[in-house]
Amino acid sequence: MAAGQRRGRSARALGLPPSLRALAPGGGAAPRPPDDRPVLRLAVSKGALAIELGEPFALGPLRVTELVVRLAGIRFPVDLSGGVARFRHRRGQLARIAVEAQGSDLAGWAAPRLRGFFGEGTPQLLIAPIEDGALVALRSGETALAFDVAVAPGERALRLLPERARGVGLEAPPHALALRALSLIAGAHGRLVEGAVVLDAAVERIVRLLLPAAGARAPAVGGVQWTAVAAEAGRFRAEGALGEMPPALSDRALRALEAAELAGAADELALAGGLDQARYHYLSALERAPRHPEISSRLAWLDLVIGDRAEGALSTVVEAMPAVDAGLLGGALLEAVGDRDGAFSALARAAHAEPYGPLAALAWLRAARLADTFDVRLDALNLGVARAPGLESLRWARLEARLDVADVRGALADAEHLEASARGPDARHAVYRRAAEMVLARGYAADARALFERALRYAPESPDAVAGLARSLRAAGEGRRALDLLARARALAARSGAPACALDLELGRGLAEIAGDLPAAVARVRAIPPGEPEALEARLLEGRWCAELGDLGGASVALGRLRDAVELALQGRAAEDAGSARGRGALLGEGPAAVAAMLAEAAEIEERSRGDLLAAQRHLGLALRLRPRDPGIHASFRRISGELAPHQAAPSAAAASVPSPQRRRATEQRIEVHVPAPRRRTLPPEPVVIASARAAPVVPRPPVAPTPVDRGLIERPPVAPADPGLIEEMPTLDNADTSTELNAPGPPSVTLAEGQSPLLRGFAIDDELLADRLADRLRADPTDQGVAMALADVLARLGRDLDLLALLSARMDEGDEATRQEIAPHRRDVLARLAARARSEGRDAEAELYEMLLHADPT
């Protein structure tokens, strides 16, 4: 008795527990290990001795199911007691061979050879039998390639000819990629000849591997030809025999052979990367075989890959077949030329006819992106998911489409499917977090909260998931709890060393909007350094909250930093386009519209809080560089520029009032006289100053009483005769007022330089009053184009270019096409003058703005 049993223990506890499988009949027997050597046997038939294969033997992905080697020179009777070993040294003649291969076995064997074909990793590979050939398909992500292979057996070689190559997301012509894939799969066993991969001496390779492995001598194979190549029920079968006739080629094989002969040289050039030379040879082939559908497709694919040749490629396809019948090629070309409906129809037809499920699903995905309505888009995605349920990009697209039509339950089902397909906690966490972000963006806070909680199940210390849960709670009205979670997410990010700028921004918003703690919110956003993607919004929020706190200086500094950052980013983007810098334009990643809206709000803060119109104008000018055709920004810029115009003119007038030696000399030469008023009333008279052309311009002085001059002491200067036509063309104060009497009892006082004509200049100097009166008339009737153009002429004479720009811009915005065509030349002239003046005065940023508006104007 065993010791364990003497102590009262069960004998079962001494050994391993019994296996359930071992209790089944025959279940305990270990399987016999496979023999790595082929089994041969002797066979006697019709007075001849032969060595045959006893059972199928695997050679890589192939299985040799039949092999017969005849031994010549054997005289009967013969002793067969020694078996095969007695005759293995004799060289026989191969009489018959049969080889089979499963498509899945071929794909598993060939897939490692295609590693890196679509970038990193090994693509998914499918090799499936079709009529008279095989279907070969590869996919990696949203890139897929599929092509048919026609098998044309020769005397002792197999010719593999790819045709109907098509794909999605390819960076090279699909036929060239098909040739490359076949060449990689065949490896050293095949060679490229005129667009076909030829498997030479396939029979010799098989028998030289099989018979020596069994200890027998390799037989002679002369005269052995392939007699049948068939594809059936998921497997391929090829048979060869001695002295038999080769099989008749199928229609597919004949067409493929003819196409290879016509375009083989072009195919090889395309495979080598010489696309331009390949295109020339394809055109030559089309001259020999006009409207050949296969060659036309290869040429059109080549033009599509090269780019900017969609129209020519489409004409090539249309000559051979309707564009909607050209499959994925037709869809891509129609989309490239802007025919979205035609592209959708072509992609839908291609997806219905495509035997490779993932490629059909990707075609439905591209068709869904072209759909204009949510229901059509969702139907296309449903069809795509039905063809390839495991395609992640398609699932994500349908999840988003279901959210767009408020099908939250369907979207959650897609999220659960994606989670089930993911492998590992990190991948499942990423799935739930991404789905939660999408659900929260659509406003479904409760469902987003549940998804974020599931994401935290796989990664409890994830700052992004905690912050997302906080945002969902805040959207659901639980602001206090959201603030606590945001603070925890910020601490987790600091602990892990992850970027925390976005969390600082979120926390600042929460402190300002939920807790009402503006100083703490300012401190949070002020901690975000320049150069971060959140820096622009942080500077805007800092300026907004400082203005609300009454810290107008701090608000101005923050908004100035916002403007400087945008200007720096624009310079960086320009340098990046020129190839001399990288990365500084990344701050504009939020989009020109969003950044322009920030600058417009900054201008509003500057104007409302500080009354700094100049800073507001700079903000709006920078916003116009980002959004030149935004009507709201245009209107604000015109309004502020109009308010700034008198203030900008004041320093110039003050500088002009400083007397210089030349001005003093001109003043000393002035003689004050009285000029009688004209008979027809034009403008209210007032004293004006007219200087000689040599003197600097003089600012009009307030009216003063004329000093009496003794007419006998001086000689009255000659007066040039007035032009009656000019007098009659002068605008009047009122069209109905034709009175010749003036309100003032005395004549107007005019100061003339010596030798100056008083009458003409006397009419020209009243442009300021004329501008005011024309502006009043235009406000009374804004549709009067004649008054508007007259006011524009007066403003141009006065040099009030900013007012003139505002007037012309408003007329162009409100007028019809004829009005815009009339005003456009005048607007371009004033923009050119403003740009030149700003450039000469050192205001380069303002000059660039005017030049940009000048180039953006329609010609």
Side-chain angles (χ1 to χ4, degrees):
M1 176 181 272
Q5 290 175 319
R6 286 196 302 268
R7 296 178 184 176
R9 295 181 181 179
S10 172
R12 181 178 178 182
L14 298 177
L16 296 175
S19 172
L20 292 177
R21 293 182 178 178
L23 299 178
R32 183 174 64 88
D35 194 355
D36 58 351
R37 299 182 63 183
V39 177
L40 301 179
R41 66 187 178 190
L42 289 176
V44 180
S45 176
K46 297 180 181 179
L49 184 64
I51 297 177
E52 296 180 352
L53 186 64
E55 60 185 28
F57 183 76
L59 288 174
L62 305 179
R63 293 178 73 247
V64 183
T65 59
E66 186 176 356
L67 181 71
V68 178
V69 179
R70 294 178 183 174
L71 300 177
I74 302 297
R75 295 183 179 181
F76 288 90
V78 63
D79 183 9
L80 303 178
S81 59
V84 175
R86 184 173 180 180
F87 301 96
R88 63 184 180 182
H89 63 282
R90 301 181 66 93
R91 181 175 175 84
Q93 172 67 46
L94 181 65
R96 183 173 180 81
I97 186 173
V99 182
E100 293 181 354
Q102 295 288 334
S104 57
D105 295 338
L106 280 174
W109 171 81
R113 296 169 174 252
L114 297 173
R115 183 176 181 84
F117 191 83
F118 287 141
E120 297 181 358
T122 302
Q124 296 181 2
L125 177 63
L126 171 70
I127 300 178
I130 59 176
E131 184 180 0
D132 301 324
L135 169 66
V136 180
L138 306 88
R139 184 188 73 85
S140 177
E142 293 190 25
T143 302
L145 169 70
F147 55 93
D148 299 344
V149 178
V151 181
E155 294 181 354
R156 285 162 50 188
L158 289 177
R159 292 166 291 181
L160 308 179
L161 301 106
E163 61 174 2
R164 294 186 61 244
R166 65 270 184 197
V168 171
L170 304 177
E171 298 181 356
H175 190 78
L177 291 176
L179 281 175
R180 182 187 171 201
L182 273 184
S183 300
L184 291 174
I185 292 173
H189 304 292
R191 59 190 179 92
L192 184 64
V193 180
E194 288 187 352
V197 176
V198 179
L199 302 179
D200 285 324
V203 176
E204 291 93 332
R205 294 176 184 273
I206 292 174
V207 298
R208 287 176 183 174
L209 289 173
L210 189 146
L211 288 176
R217 189 175 178 182
V221 295
V224 177
Q225 297 183 0
W226 295 107
T227 59
V229 177
E232 54 184 14
R235 66 173 182 170
F236 303 93
R237 181 177 177 84
E239 298 179 0
L242 178 64
E244 297 288 339
M245 296 294 295
L249 297 179
S250 64
D251 294 341
R252 177 192 293 271
L254 289 173
R255 289 195 301 268
L257 284 172
E258 289 297 324
E261 183 178 352
L262 286 169
D267 294 338
E268 293 183 3
L269 288 170
L271 178 61
L275 299 184
D276 292 332
Q277 296 178 353
R279 190 178 191 279
Y280 174 78
H281 283 78
Y282 279 133
L283 288 173
S284 300
L286 281 178
E287 290 180 3
R288 297 169 58 193
R291 301 190 179 185
H292 193 290
E294 180 66 20
I295 300 177
S296 298
S297 298
R298 296 178 193 179
L299 176 58
W301 272 114
L302 187 145
D303 284 338
L304 180 64
V305 168
I306 292 176
D308 297 330
R309 300 180 181 181
E311 290 78 8
L314 185 60
S315 67
T316 302
V317 171
V318 169
E319 285 187 358
M321 68 193 83
V324 293
D325 293 337
L328 295 173
L329 172 62
L333 291 175
L334 290 171
E335 181 183 1
V337 299
D339 187 357
R340 295 172 61 90
D341 294 336
F344 183 90
S345 299
L347 290 172
R349 290 191 182 188
H352 279 299
E354 178 57 48
Y356 182 46
L359 183 56
L362 289 174
W364 282 120
L365 179 60
R366 295 192 64 176
R369 292 169 180 169
L370 296 173
D372 295 328
T373 58
F374 290 128
D375 54 346
V376 175
R377 177 187 174 198
L378 188 56
D379 289 342
L381 293 174
N382 287 333
L383 292 172
V385 171
R387 293 299 305 272
L391 197 60
E392 287 189 18
S393 57
L394 200 62
R395 283 278 181 181
W396 284 115
R398 191 173 73 167
L399 188 152
E400 186 177 2
R402 282 178 164 177
L403 289 175
D404 289 336
V405 297
D407 183 9
V408 183
R409 180 177 297 180
L412 294 179
D414 280 330
E416 291 177 357
H417 187 281
L418 288 165
E419 183 262 345
S421 302
R423 292 294 177 264
D426 293 340
R428 296 193 171 194
H429 164 76
V431 166
Y432 273 127
R433 186 163 62 85
R434 179 180 175 184
E437 295 285 356
M438 296 172 66
V439 173
L440 181 60
R442 299 311 194 281
Y444 303 105
D447 298 298
R449 173 180 179 177
L451 291 174
F452 276 120
E453 290 172 349
R454 291 186 185 181
L456 286 172
R457 179 194 309 168
Y458 294 107
E461 302 296 321
S462 171
D464 295 330
V466 175
L469 179 59
R471 290 195 302 272
S472 61
L473 288 173
R474 180 180 174 185
E478 301 182 28
R480 303 294 176 181
R481 175 61 178 158
L483 272 180
D484 185 24
L485 286 176
L486 281 174
R488 180 172 179 267
R490 179 65 177 84
L492 290 173
R495 186 188 311 165
S496 62
C501 295
L503 291 175
D504 283 332
L505 197 64
E506 287 288 338
L507 195 53
R509 285 183 178 276
L511 289 170
E513 299 172 6
I514 298 173
D517 191 352
L518 291 181
V522 169
R524 283 289 180 182
V525 297
R526 188 172 287 175
I528 299 176
E532 297 294 333
E534 298 84 5
L536 297 183
E537 188 175 0
R539 299 291 86 79
L540 174 65
L541 293 177
E542 181 184 352
R544 180 196 300 171
W545 294 334
C546 285
E548 292 179 9
L549 287 171
D551 183 8
L552 301 183
S556 179
V557 170
L559 297 178
R561 290 175 180 171
L562 167 65
R563 184 179 64 246
D564 294 341
V566 176
E567 288 180 348
L568 191 62
L570 287 174
Q571 294 175 5
R573 188 170 65 177
E576 184 177 343
D577 294 339
S580 60
R582 294 288 176 187
R584 291 202 297 178
L587 284 177
L588 302 179
E590 299 183 11
V595 178
M598 293 182 191
L599 292 168
E601 183 179 352
E604 182 182 357
I605 294 173
E606 292 280 10
E607 180 185 8
R608 182 183 65 248
S609 301
R610 301 179 64 246
D612 192 345
L613 298 181
L614 187 59
Q617 185 189 42
R618 292 186 62 188
H619 285 299
L620 292 172
L622 194 57
L624 280 177
R625 292 178 61 185
L626 295 169
R627 300 279 291 176
R629 300 187 181 277
D630 191 299
I633 299 176
H634 262 291
S636 300
F637 182 79
R638 287 198 302 267
R639 177 179 57 80
I640 291 180
S641 298
E643 294 179 9
L644 274 175
H647 303 286
Q648 291 176 349
S652 300
S657 64
V658 176
S660 63
Q662 293 83 358
R663 189 182 303 273
R664 285 195 298 268
R665 286 194 296 270
T667 305
E668 293 171 356
Q669 296 174 358
R670 280 201 290 258
I671 301 174
E672 192 172 276
V673 297
H674 291 281
V675 180
R679 294 184 56 82
R680 182 171 181 178
R681 180 182 180 185
T682 58
L683 295 172
E686 68 175 18
V688 294
V689 174
I690 300 178
S692 64
R694 297 185 303 273
V698 181
V699 178
R701 299 178 303 175
V704 295
T707 304
V709 179
D710 189 355
R711 299 178 183 272
L713 298 179
I714 63 172
E715 181 180 358
R716 185 185 184 99
V719 177
D723 186 357
L726 180 60
I727 297 175
E728 291 298 323
E729 292 174 359
M730 290 298 294
T732 63
L733 290 176
D734 192 347
N735 291 337
D737 187 5
T738 57
S739 174
T740 58
E741 297 181 359
L742 298 175
N743 296 331
S749 176
V750 181
T751 302
L752 297 176
E754 291 184 354
Q756 191 84 20
S757 172
L759 189 58
L760 297 181
R761 188 59 177 167
F763 281 97
I765 59 170
D766 288 329
D767 282 342
E768 289 286 355
L769 293 176
L770 180 59
D772 294 339
R773 181 52 61 92
L774 290 174
D776 292 338
R777 291 184 59 184
L778 187 61
R779 280 191 290 269
D781 185 8
T783 62
D784 194 333
Q785 182 67 11
V787 173
M789 295 309 296
L791 177 59
D793 293 338
V794 175
L795 293 176
R797 290 199 301 270
L798 290 172
R800 292 165 54 179
D801 287 336
L802 286 175
D803 292 341
L804 178 58
L805 176 62
L807 171 67
L808 297 178
S809 299
R811 301 301 297 181
M812 287 189 68
D813 293 341
E814 300 168 0
D816 53 10
E817 184 61 28
T819 302
R820 287 192 289 271
Q821 292 294 332
E822 179 184 2
I823 294 175
H826 301 283
R827 188 172 185 268
R828 288 196 294 272
D829 292 341
V830 70
L831 284 172
R833 289 198 303 271
L834 286 170
R837 185 184 307 161
R839 188 76 68 183
S840 63
E841 296 175 0
R843 293 178 279 116
D844 293 336
E846 184 177 349
E848 290 178 2
L849 172 64
Y850 293 132
E851 290 168 356
M852 181 191 64
L853 294 175
L854 178 62
H855 295 317
D857 266 0
T859 56

